[in-house]
Amino acid sequence: MSSVNNSPTVIKCKAAVAWGPGEPLVLEEVEVDPPKEMEIRVKVVCTSICRSDVNQWENKAQVDLFPRIFGHEASGIVESVGEGVTEFEVGDHILTVFIGECQNCKHCVSGKSNMCRKLGLERRGVMHTDQKTRFSVRGKPIYHYCAVSSFSEYTVVHSGCAVKIGRDVPLDKVCLLSCGVSAGLGAAWKVADITRGSSVVIFGLGTVGLSVAQGARLRGASKIIGVDTNPGKLEIGSAFGITDFINPETCSQPVQQAIKELTEGGADYSFECVGDTGVVTTALQSCCDGWGLTVTLGVPKSKPEVTAHYGSLLSGRTLKGSLFGGWRPKSDLPLLVDKYMNNEFELNNLVSHDMPFASINQALDLMRENKCLRCVLHM
């Protein structure tokens, strides 16, 4: 198979375009430019909906970034490659990632961080290389999301924001490793490095929180407490390792006090997977003195400032952030895919809905109403 699609041209395809914050997405015929230097154009096979897609779609603080194509958890097949790309060939199966790994910057070579300085989180709705878009509709540019924009039959990503996977890997399940599941497992394994016999509390039992629970169970945690306002998460959570469940709306005492009673003074590890800075404070208060570690994974919709009494930190507690579970996409994600293929962790049961791309607005509603884990859209 040729490594280059010679002289690729503009592609016309269907994409779900958001014309304004919170407005129903419209399936439009869009034009997708050929990949430029160090970029690849991808035929999206499956994409799943992440909570951050919904949050940013509803966010009215960036109205200038519309029209926009959201989506970032995706699997696909390389359709064409741009100049200078040697890592990928036409026909390769890939995962898109919302943060890249250039493998050359200070952070990449340090081995201490996944915050690539060249291909980090893109917030301005354009491509990393030239600060322009690759989408248009009726001559009007369409903004990207996280430099991925997988709610489209074809998209263009920087080659540093894609990870090659085997052709035997099921694309309809592995797309979850593009963000949510990897974030949860990495928070448990790589960021917190949970130890055997420890106590863990997880605030928010969506896909990310359940992945943290699964990671904690596989590390041998003795007590894994789930905190969620949805009582249905008790049964779901138990399948992923939750041993105790607290519903803040029916708990007769402050949640942090209930956790301290369950853990003889506080959990060894707490994880905030909601995206609420008030919950971050509660999570920090739920940890034990001396070594309690709180990891925050959620992205808040509002009020980004965290409030904490200095005594919580003076007593030895630690508050730590986690983006994509600390994984470096190209260096670490292939190993995670191998673990999935070896049945070392559960992925399939986190897909609660399989839906056609045309049902994307229904899938968004399910996520908004907390009636799903992950909806996988088949393109």
Side-chain angles (χ1 to χ4, degrees), residues 113-150:
S113 168
N114 64 352
M115 302 294 291
C116 177
R117 300 189 65 157
K118 187 181 296 183
L119 300 172
L121 185 61
E122 208 298 308
R123 297 184 175 93
R124 292 175 289 183
V126 292
M127 296 295 289
H128 288 97
T129 47
D130 61 1
Q131 307 299 295
K132 296 181 180 179
T133 73
R134 302 291 179 266
F135 294 104
S136 62
V137 57
R138 296 183 288 278
K140 183 180 182 62
I142 306 174
Y143 289 100
H144 297 248
Y145 178 61
C146 289
V148 175
S149 294
S150 57

Side-chain angles (χ1 to χ4, degrees), residues 54-116:
V54 177
N55 289 347
Q56 289 302 310
W57 164 51
E58 294 180 325
N59 187 356
K60 296 181 179 180
Q62 292 183 306
V63 295
D64 55 324
L65 293 186
F66 288 87
R68 199 171 191 183
I69 297 174
F70 288 97
H72 63 284
E73 280 191 356
S75 57
I77 301 171
V78 177
E79 178 271 339
S80 57
V81 301
E83 182 181 351
V85 175
T86 58
E87 180 183 358
F88 298 99
E89 296 184 349
V90 173
D92 281 343
H93 289 201
I94 62 103
L95 288 175
T96 60
V97 282
F98 66 93
I99 56 170
E101 183 182 353
C102 74
Q103 302 179 309
N104 295 312
C105 73
K106 175 182 178 180
H107 279 244
C108 286
V109 301
S110 73
K112 300 177 182 179
S113 168
N114 64 352
M115 302 294 291
C116 177

Side-chain angles (χ1 to χ4, degrees), residues 3 16 33 39 92 125 139 169 224 306 314 321 344:
S3 62
D33 290 342
E39 295 176 350
D92 281 343
V169 179
I224 306 174
V306 174
L314 194 64
E344 295 182 36

Side-chain angles (χ1 to χ4, degrees), residues 241-317:
I242 296 296
T243 60
D244 300 84
F245 182 80
I246 297 174
N247 184 338
E249 294 183 346
T250 59
C251 188
S252 60
Q253 58 185 321
V255 170
Q256 58 268 39
Q257 185 60 40
I259 292 168
K260 287 182 178 180
E261 291 181 5
L262 284 170
T263 57
E264 299 182 0
D268 297 305
Y269 306 94
S270 66
F271 296 85
E272 185 280 318
C273 306
V274 178
D276 185 315
T277 51
V279 176
V280 174
T281 302
T282 303
L284 188 61
Q285 293 170 344
S286 301
C287 273
C288 67
D289 291 339
W291 61 82
L293 172 63
T294 296
V295 180
T296 180
L297 295 82
V299 180
K301 294 174 65 175
S302 60
K303 195 181 177 183
E305 296 82 11
V306 174
T307 301
H309 192 281
Y310 83 99
S312 295
L313 304 176
L314 194 64
S315 64
R317 295 183 180 95

